[in-house]
């Protein structure tokens, strides 16, 4: 999970976390000797601490307070921390309790369905009579996470492995963000009732509503989030409604930054200007969007002859088998490798799914290497 220098930079907060949790957070995050990071009781506190220290470092370095904050699932607690709804220790107590309760409601499973809209996913589940499966995360318009009993997700898997759909089981310890977390929601609501919550100093966009919290809603929405879908795509679309909005991911990795870029490309109603800005931007390690130079780190843009999407897909698959090493001409994404054959997304977009990015890239943005 990383964060070695963060623990050194914030020794007092690290000691606070160690005392509250009863184990060394540094050891868990950096070494995980007992293999606990797959257990949500440990995953949630670890993520919270690393995200919090990363935010404090950024604040110390820049002094810039964001105009809005948002987080994906557990990350929403860090967004609320940034908005000063509670202090570091109180937030960690909440996250520890949340993890314990969600673990006790475990036993289910989750999976990502790729290259399928919400409407398509609901239709497939309904036709198969799998009404006990919930839609848990709306990550992008074409990436939906489903959640439910393990046997129901096993039954759903072959249904989403036909045509252009992909089914990716997720390594989780429960059916999070689903009806199966109801008991956890009830108990967490009781815990929240005894926790002091301050008025928000920065607008926090809720996972549940994809709109900013109102102060009287904070406890209710924090509890409801456990059983509600994470409306991340709607959240990003809402924020893009503000002119000049830039996104910066704080914490470990670039998963959300990559999602933002995909959302900007996939949502048709964002408008041509937003789509053009997304196509001419790169996301830096913290997720900040900035204009790229005419020559990206991967080299100058390559002029390609005008071909239909079908022709581009056909030529790509003839020349480049699954497992081809590629680099992006749209930004510095490091080492990538194709995971599928090229397909046509949304009826017009030639694309291929790649490892190292965990999403689709337009064929026009990729260049084989090696």
């Amino acid at each position: 999970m990383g964060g070695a220098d963060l623990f050194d930079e914030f020794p007092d907060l690290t000691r606070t976390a160690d005392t509250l949790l009863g184990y060394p957070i540094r050891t868990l995050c950096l070494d995980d000797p007992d293999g606990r990071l797959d257990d949500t009781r440990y995953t949630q506190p670890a993520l919270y601490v690393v995200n919090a220290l990363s935010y404090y470092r950024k604040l110390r370095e820049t002094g810039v307070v964001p105009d809005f904050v948002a987080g994906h699932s557990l990350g929403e607690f860090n967004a609320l921390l940034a908005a000063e709804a509670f202090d570091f220790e109180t937030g960690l107590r909440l996250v520890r309790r949340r993890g314990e309760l969600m673990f006790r409601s475990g036993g289910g499973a989750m999976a990502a369905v790729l290259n399928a809209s919400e409407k398509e996913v609901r239709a497939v589940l309904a036709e198969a009579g799998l009404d006990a499966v919930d839609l848990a995360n709306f990550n992008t318009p074409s990436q939906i996470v489903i959640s439910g009993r393990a046997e129901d997700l096993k039954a759903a898997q072959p249904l989403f492995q036909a045509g252009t759909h992909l089914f990716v089981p997720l390594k989780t310890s429960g059916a999070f963000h689903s009806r199966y977390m109801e008991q956890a929601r009830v108990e967490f609501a009781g815990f929240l009732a005894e926790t002091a919550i301050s008025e928000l100093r920065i607008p926090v966009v809720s996972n549940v509503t994809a709109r900013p919290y109102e102060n009287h809603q904070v406890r209710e929405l924090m509890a409801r989030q456990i059983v509600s879908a994470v409306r991340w795509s709607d959240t990003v679309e809402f924020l893009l409604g503000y002119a000049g909005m830039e996104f910066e991911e704080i914490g470990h990795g670039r998963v959300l930054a990559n999602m933002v870029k995909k959302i900007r490309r996939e949502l048709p109603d964002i408008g041509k200007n937003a789509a053009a800005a997304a196509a001419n931007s790169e996301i830096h390690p913290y997720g900040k969007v900035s204009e790229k130079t005419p020559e990206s780190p991967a080299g100058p843009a390559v002029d390609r002859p005008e071909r239909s999407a079908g022709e581009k897909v056909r030529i790509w698959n003839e020349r480049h088998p699954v497992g081809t090493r590629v680099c992006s001409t749209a930004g510095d994404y490091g080492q990538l490798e194709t995971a599928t054959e090229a397909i046509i997304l949304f009826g017009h977009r030639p694309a291929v799914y790649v490892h190292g990015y965990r999403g689709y890239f337009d064929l026009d943005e990729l260049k084989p290497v090696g």
Side-chain angles (χ1 to χ4, degrees):
M1 182 170 289
D5 51 344
L6 287 171
F7 301 123
D8 293 334
E9 190 172 340
F10 298 95
D12 291 344
L13 292 178
T14 300
R15 281 192 294 269
T16 295
D18 290 349
T19 300
L20 194 157
L21 296 172
Y23 54 82
I25 191 67
R26 173 198 287 268
T27 301
L28 174 68
C29 293
L30 300 183
D31 303 318
D32 190 24
D34 301 314
R36 291 175 168 178
L37 280 177
D38 289 336
D39 183 329
T40 196
R41 292 173 296 177
Y42 297 92
T43 310
Q44 294 194 36
L47 287 171
Y48 172 84
V49 170
V50 170
N51 289 344
L53 300 187
S54 298
Y55 176 74
Y56 289 144
R57 168 189 280 175
K58 192 69 176 177
L59 202 60
R60 174 186 287 177
E61 290 175 349
T62 68
V64 176
V65 176
D67 297 313
F68 289 86
V69 285
H72 188 289
S73 191
L74 182 279
E76 188 161 286
F77 285 75
N78 290 104
L80 289 161
L81 172 67
E84 300 183 31
F86 40 72
D87 60 20
F88 173 83
E89 183 173 349
T90 300
L92 186 53
R93 290 182 187 280
L94 288 170
V95 166
R96 180 182 64 177
R97 184 60 174 159
R98 181 179 184 264
E100 291 169 350
L101 293 172
M102 292 173 72
F103 176 82
R104 276 169 30 191
S105 299
M110 302 178 76
V113 179
L114 308 178
N115 190 27
S117 67
E118 175 186 353
K119 183 178 179 180
E120 289 173 316
V121 172
R122 291 192 187 279
V124 169
L125 293 174
E127 185 175 348
L130 292 171
D131 56 359
V133 175
D134 290 343
L135 275 61
N137 298 353
F138 299 97
N139 288 336
T140 77
S142 66
Q143 184 186 117
I144 312 293
V145 173
I146 58 177
S147 183
R149 296 175 301 204
E151 59 268 29
D152 289 333
L153 263 70
K154 185 176 181 180
Q157 182 165 354
L159 306 177
F160 292 108
Q161 291 180 321
T164 61
H165 296 160
L166 289 174
F167 184 96
V168 183
L170 301 181
K171 201 171 184 179
T172 63
S173 52
F176 304 144
H177 299 290
S178 76
R179 71 190 79 178
Y180 303 101
M181 292 287 120
E182 176 59 20
Q183 185 58 39
R185 182 202 68 78
V186 171
E187 294 188 51
F188 192 55
F191 190 76
L192 281 165
E194 301 174 356
T195 302
I197 302 292
S198 301
E199 289 195 359
L200 305 179
R201 293 181 174 269
I202 307 170
V204 180
V205 185
S206 165
N207 284 181
V208 176
T209 65
R211 294 295 182 271
Y213 275 88
E214 296 182 22
N215 282 303
H216 70 276
Q217 297 178 302
V218 174
R219 288 184 179 84
E220 175 196 352
L221 292 180
M222 288 172 70
R224 279 178 56 194
Q225 192 222 46
I226 291 177
V227 296
S228 300
V230 175
R231 296 177 57 190
W232 186 252
S233 186
D234 288 343
T235 293
V236 173
E237 186 176 8
F238 167 76
L239 291 170
L240 286 170
Y242 291 85
M245 180 63 68
E246 294 184 348
F247 293 84
E248 188 161 359
E249 182 171 1
I250 305 296
H252 179 70
R254 301 173 57 170
V255 174
L256 297 185
N258 289 336
M259 283 185 191
V260 169
K261 190 167 186 180
K262 284 173 62 62
I263 291 166
R264 297 183 82 155
R265 291 194 307 209
E266 292 179 5
L267 280 175
D269 52 352
I270 287 178
K272 293 183 179 179
N273 291 338
N280 194 37
S281 65
E282 63 181 47
I283 302 180
H284 293 279
Y286 278 106
K288 189 165 185 177
V289 176
S290 64
E291 293 306 307
K292 70 177 184 180
T293 58
E295 292 194 2
S296 71
V302 178
D303 291 330
R304 294 173 172 83
E306 288 300 320
R307 297 190 178 101
S308 69
E311 184 74 359
K312 290 178 181 179
V313 166
R314 182 186 65 79
I315 292 173
W316 179 276
N317 288 335
E318 287 178 352
R319 297 177 180 176
H320 309 301
V322 175
T324 296
R325 294 173 58 200
V326 294
C327 67
S328 168
T329 62
D332 186 5
Y333 292 94
Q335 182 65 57
L336 302 172
E337 181 180 297
T338 62
T340 67
E341 290 189 339
I343 60 172
I344 300 176
L345 287 178
F346 314 115
H348 70 276
R349 182 179 155 209
V352 64
Y353 193 85
V354 297
H355 291 307
Y357 177 73
R358 299 204 308 185
Y360 283 95
F361 257 97
D362 286 354
L363 296 185
D364 290 342
E365 296 179 359
L366 290 178
K367 183 171 65 174
V369 298

